[in-house]
């Protein structure tokens, strides 16, 4: 049995195909997504194009850590690692969504360290030197939610409550929905919904695009398909003079997922802060295998340390014994 060109799931005995799209697909959804891409074939070699997490033993370059704004799932990690791997001289890369950081191992003779943040600032992500202070009071996500969703989304829902929802229950409309007044009302709702979808929902749409580029379909892709499908259908229905519009579905999906994502970001920030506090509180001295104590800054890669039960050591390492 063959597998889907896009998601690798089994296609069954009757795969979905299209003369204009290369490959076989497990469902019409994958076929529709593939039709919108220009490099579906490239998804087959994602594993080969993705750099390793650690450099080889013969690597004699440098390592840098960059802060990346905009990551919100494991697919973001894969996309940024793929982007880093495209740069000449990059030996390995490993991104961490939990800490908003990417580690890049590179050859300084081929790659200028100052060029890496620019190279990784793509598709709405913003990479910067981790040592640079973050701007204060810059909470774009809250602005997107309050301005795009809280205001324009609620305005659209108000028109639904006053003029459209009553008709769904058999009541007479307050105005002629089939005339000029109805078209004017629907146009306002369409404008409000467009702002919610493309402004508030931009991170979700970007996440869907990134998931396709990385070859790892995620929740953002599912949410984007639901939101854009109801938006596209309602837009077409509006111009055809129909009144069964589902802009409210687009608004509800975007606002609920955005609110959930913002809450998740708050929890992640608290967890990261607690981890930083724990690291800061770690002892400033450690024991060598012989039992003598040394300052933590004197520890070098390859040293063997003695860690007793309950002690904290601010290093990554492998347990050799015990």
């Amino acid at each position: 049995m063959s597998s889907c060109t896009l998601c690798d799931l089994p296609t069954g005995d009757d795969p979905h195909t299209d003369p204009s799209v290369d490959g076989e697909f497990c469902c019409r959804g994958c076929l529709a997504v593939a039709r919108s891409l220009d490099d579906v074939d490239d998804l087959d070699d994602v594993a080969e194009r993705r750099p390793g997490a650690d450099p080889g033993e013969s690597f004699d370059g440098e390592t840098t850590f960059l802060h990346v704004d905009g990551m919100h799932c494991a697919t973001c990690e894969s996309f940024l690692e793929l982007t880093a791997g495209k740069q000449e001289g990059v030996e390995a890369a490993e991104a961490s969504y939990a800490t908003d950081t990417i580690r890049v191992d590179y050859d300084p003779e081929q790659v200028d360290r100052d060029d890496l943040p620019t190279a990784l600032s793509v598709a709405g992500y913003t990479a910067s030197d981790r040592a640079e202070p973050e701007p204060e009071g810059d909470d774009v996500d809250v602005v997107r939610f309050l301005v795009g969703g809280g205001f324009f989304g609620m305005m659209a829902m108000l028109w639904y409550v006053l003029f459209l929802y009553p008709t769904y229950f058999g009541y007479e409309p307050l105005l002629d929905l089939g005339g000029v007044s109805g078209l004017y009302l629907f146009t306002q709702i369409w404008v409000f919904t467009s702002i919610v979808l493309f402004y508030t929902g931009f991170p979700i749409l970007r996440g869907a695009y990134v998931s396709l580029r990385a070859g790892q379909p995620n929740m953002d892709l599912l949410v984007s398909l639901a939101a854009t499908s109801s938006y596209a259908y309602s837009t077409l229905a509006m111009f055809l003079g129909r009144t069964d519009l589902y802009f409210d579905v687009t608004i509800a999906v975007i606002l609920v997922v955005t609110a959930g994502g913002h809450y998740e970001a708050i929890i992640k920030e608290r967890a990261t802060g607690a981890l930083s506090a724990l690291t800061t509180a770690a002892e400033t001295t450690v024991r060598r295998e012989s039992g003598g104590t040394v300052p933590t800054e004197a520890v070098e890669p390859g040293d063997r340390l003695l860690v007793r039960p309950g002690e904290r050591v601010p290093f990554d390492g492998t347990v050799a014994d015990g």
Side-chain angles (χ1 to χ4, degrees):
M1 182 181 295
S2 61
S3 59
C4 179
T5 303
L6 185 67
C7 67
D8 287 334
L9 291 176
T11 59
D13 297 331
D14 186 21
H16 294 266
T17 60
D18 189 287
S20 62
V21 180
D22 294 332
E24 298 180 343
F25 303 90
C26 61
C27 64
R28 293 187 180 277
C30 283
L31 176 60
V33 171
R35 189 182 291 111
S36 65
L37 294 174
D38 57 359
D39 59 350
V40 175
D41 294 336
D42 291 343
L43 297 178
D44 296 332
D45 64 340
V46 167
E48 287 74 11
R49 293 187 285 119
R50 185 174 180 178
D54 298 300
E57 296 181 359
S58 60
F59 176 70
D60 187 26
E62 298 182 0
T63 300
T64 185
F65 292 85
L66 300 176
H67 177 81
V68 182
D69 285 323
M71 285 197 290
H72 64 284
C73 66
T75 302
C76 298
E77 298 176 345
S78 299
F79 179 76
L80 288 169
E81 290 166 2
L82 284 169
T83 302
K86 294 179 181 179
Q87 310 303 315
E88 290 291 337
V90 172
E91 175 73 12
E94 184 176 22
S96 171
Y97 147 66
T99 59
D100 293 328
T101 303
I102 182 169
R103 191 201 76 242
V104 181
D105 301 289
Y106 65 98
D107 183 353
E109 295 183 358
Q110 299 184 57
V111 181
D112 188 344
R113 182 184 181 281
D114 294 335
D115 293 338
L116 288 175
T118 302
L120 295 178
S121 297
V122 295
Y125 299 103
T126 304
S128 60
D129 192 326
R130 196 170 61 169
E132 294 179 357
E134 298 182 15
E136 297 181 359
D138 184 17
D139 198 341
V140 179
D141 291 337
V142 174
V143 174
R144 287 184 185 277
F145 183 77
L146 293 179
V147 175
F151 180 73
F152 291 103
M154 292 304 100
M155 283 295 296
M157 296 305 296
L158 177 62
W159 293 160
Y160 263 93
V161 171
L162 293 178
F163 301 107
L164 289 177
Y165 287 154
T167 64
Y168 297 165
F169 294 96
Y171 294 99
E172 289 295 325
L174 298 179
L175 51 80
D176 182 13
L177 298 179
V180 176
S181 57
L183 181 60
Y184 177 71
L185 172 67
F186 296 152
T187 302
Q188 290 187 64
I189 296 176
W190 176 79
V191 171
F192 296 152
T193 306
S194 299
I195 295 174
V196 173
L197 176 61
F198 297 110
Y199 180 68
T200 304
F202 172 75
I204 299 173
L205 299 177
R206 180 194 62 196
Y209 167 77
V210 166
S211 74
L212 293 174
R213 297 291 297 178
Q216 297 182 357
N218 61 4
M219 185 191 72
D220 285 338
L221 179 59
L222 178 63
V223 172
S224 296
L225 287 175
T228 56
S229 296
S230 58
Y231 176 83
Y233 168 83
S234 300
T235 300
L236 179 61
M238 179 182 69
F239 286 110
L240 292 178
R242 302 183 60 172
T243 60
D244 52 334
L245 308 182
Y246 300 98
F247 290 119
D248 55 334
V249 174
T250 298
I251 294 172
V253 168
I254 293 297
L255 292 189
V256 169
V257 174
T258 300
H262 180 62
Y263 177 74
E264 179 185 6
I266 293 176
I267 298 300
K268 187 184 75 170
E269 184 178 353
R270 290 177 181 174
T272 303
L275 180 61
S276 299
L278 177 63
T279 303
T280 304
E283 298 294 336
T284 57
T285 60
V286 294
R287 293 184 179 86
R288 292 196 183 276
E289 189 176 18
S290 60
T293 60
V294 295
T296 54
E297 58 268 19
V299 177
E300 298 180 352
D303 287 350
R304 293 173 65 90
L305 305 178
L306 176 62
V307 184
R308 293 175 177 173
E311 291 183 339
R312 296 174 298 189
V313 178
F315 298 106
D316 291 330
T318 302
V319 177
D321 185 35

